[in-house]
Amino acid sequence: MRARLVSDAPLDLDKHRGMAAQKATDIRRILADVENNAKDLRDRQAVLENQLLSLPAASWPEAAAKARYIFHLYAAGLGSDDTHHRDLVTAVLADFDRLSIDHVCAEQDCEMVAINDPR
């Protein structure tokens, strides 16, 4: 009886299947990856939301960051045809950005310079 040689190299079974079976396997693998990534995202989102709930904001910029998160969740649920509410969310987020910069500059006594200012 002859001894069999065992190879350490994995056997690529996809080469031995038809194209339809290979595509079906690829779709199953991609779907599994998507499901795993979605679960990871939900887990990270739950951790973030627990921190947002348990830790009070220490400043206006921190409170604005919490509100930004909620506005992004709200905007994600809006229909694509709801431009009025999307515009409102955009305007409020722009206000948060502007007021956060003003707050930081007031604390640091910095000078606000317009982006197009040639100085």
Side-chain angles (χ1 to χ4, degrees):
M1 198 181 264
R2 296 172 79 189
R4 282 182 158 185
L5 294 177
V6 178
S7 171
D8 289 335
L11 181 61
D12 186 3
L13 295 176
D14 286 341
K15 289 181 184 176
H16 301 286
R17 288 187 257 184
M19 285 303 291
Q22 287 180 30
K23 286 183 180 182
T25 299
D26 289 342
I27 289 171
R28 282 193 304 274
R29 288 176 182 158
I30 292 169
L31 182 59
D33 286 344
V34 168
E35 289 171 353
N36 288 335
N37 290 339
K39 183 190 177 310
D40 290 344
L41 178 60
R42 284 189 305 272
D43 292 345
R44 288 194 314 268
Q45 189 173 7
V47 168
L48 171 64
E49 290 174 0
N50 287 333
Q51 287 179 347
L52 292 175
L53 281 171
S54 65
L55 300 172
S59 65
W60 280 109
E62 287 182 17
K66 286 182 173 186
R68 262 190 212 95
Y69 175 76
I70 296 301
F71 276 117
H72 283 292
L73 286 178
Y74 171 71
L78 292 174
S80 60
D81 59 336
D82 194 351
T83 58
H84 179 71
H85 286 138
R86 287 188 181 283
D87 291 345
L88 284 170
V89 168
T90 300
V92 171
L93 292 175
D95 287 343
F96 285 163
D97 290 341
R98 180 180 45 80
L99 293 171
S100 293
I101 290 170
D102 290 349
H103 178 78
V104 169
C105 280
E107 283 183 343
Q108 296 177 358
D109 196 30
C110 63
E111 180 182 342
M112 293 294 295
V113 177
I115 293 175
N116 295 330
D117 192 346
R119 285 193 263 176

